Amino acid sequence: QSVLTQPPSVSGAPGQRVTISCTGSDSNIGAGHDVHWYQHFPGTAPKLLIHGDTNRPSGVPDRFSGSKSGTSASLAITGLQAEDEADYYCQSYDISLSGSDVVFGGGTKLTVV
Amino acid sequence: QVQLAQSGAEVKKPGASVKVSCKASGYSLTDYYLHWVRQAPGQGLEWMGWINPSSGGTRYAQKFKGRVTMTRDTSMNTATMELSGLRSNDTAMFFCARKTAGRGFDYWGQGTLVIVS
């Protein structure tokens, strides 16, 4: 059971817009900690897609955007393309008495139908 | 350019230990925390812990405490993760990843497949 909750799968047609949610709690996203998003093609290294809730690294198309509100964050992909079919993970930090741990969502498989 | 090059695939018997190395190039290992993440077959990404290559300090995920050891060799610009007491459900791809403050994991190793059988 992941600390951050994502839908197992989402799908959309080429050109459409899809969103992937990432729900946490007051000890992670709700505490104001950064949310980062990664795109992962199985068998390869994950790729940083969004950092610091809303920021795109150089080279990431502006079709990808991130947002955050309260204890949740979202990744939106507009103008869906076949090459976007991949697994997407959100990541944040969870605070406990012993310190801060990295936490991932369970991942969402995006299918472009 | 920044690269993290990991050691090759391993096949281990249950109860054995495995060491996975991660050699950094294009930057000094001591300038950024280095994390380890694993992905079991059909599962999601799972954080294992980090090492501060500058001080050698570490923090491990509760799940792996007592079984994982992260070290570094600054002269070789290399970090190493050792997992002991291997079980079949430790079969996974292991990744090292550089963390930049405020930017998450911006560079990843190519992954090392460890099979426990």
Side-chain angles (χ1 to χ4, degrees), chain A residues 38 40 48 93 98 100-101, chain B residues 39 44 59 99 103 105 108-109:
Chain A
Y38 303 88
H40 187 211
L48 180 64
Y93 307 90
S98 65
S100 172
D101 286 340
Chain B
Q39 183 179 37
R59 182 174 176 88
K99 182 173 179 302
R103 288 179 172 265
F105 300 127
W108 294 70

Side-chain angles (χ1 to χ4, degrees), chain B residues 15-114:
Chain B
S17 297
V18 68
K19 281 187 177 182
V20 179
S21 67
C22 174
K23 183 173 178 59
S25 59
Y27 79 101
S28 174
L29 186 72
T30 56
D31 286 346
Y32 298 86
Y33 280 41
L34 199 287
H35 293 239
W36 291 88
V37 174
R38 81 173 184 181
Q39 183 179 37
Q43 303 298 309
L45 300 177
E46 182 175 36
W47 177 73
M48 299 181 69
W50 56 251
I51 182 167
N52 176 350
S54 178
S55 67
T58 56
R59 182 174 176 88
Y60 304 137
Q62 184 64 39
K63 177 176 181 176
F64 298 100
K65 282 181 182 175
R67 285 211 301 145
V68 71
T69 304
M70 296 176 188
T71 58
R72 91 294 191 212
D73 181 339
T74 56
S75 68
M76 298 293 291
N77 228 36
T78 298
T80 300
M81 184 280 299
E82 180 176 15
L83 187 63
S84 63
L86 289 171
R87 311 182 267 260
S88 58
N89 60 6
D90 287 318
T91 292
M93 185 75 83
F94 291 79
F95 296 97
C96 61
R98 187 185 90 164
K99 182 173 179 302
T100 296
R103 288 179 172 265
F105 300 127
D106 55 355
Y107 290 94
W108 294 70
Q110 81 276 21
T112 297
L113 178 62
V114 175

Side-chain angles (χ1 to χ4, degrees), chain A residues 8-95:
Chain A
S9 63
V10 297
S11 63
Q16 283 190 333
R17 178 181 187 270
V18 296
T19 62
I20 298 172
S21 61
C22 174
T23 302
S25 67
D26 290 339
S27 64
N28 40 70
I29 298 176
H33 298 295
D34 283 343
V35 177
H36 313 297
W37 290 89
Y38 303 88
Q39 180 186 57
H40 187 211
F41 297 99
T44 69
K47 172 188 173 183
L48 180 64
L49 206 58
I50 297 288
H51 66 85
D53 303 338
T54 61
N55 304 291
R56 279 188 310 278
S58 174
V60 173
D62 59 7
R63 301 187 297 107
F64 296 90
S65 64
S67 63
K68 186 173 82 176
S69 177
T71 58
S72 295
S74 288
L75 172 71
I77 310 172
T78 59
L80 209 54
Q81 299 179 5
E83 67 202 46
D84 298 332
E85 189 163 293
D87 298 321
Y88 293 84
Y89 293 88
C90 60
Q91 177 253 305
S92 187
Y93 307 90
D94 199 78
I95 303 301

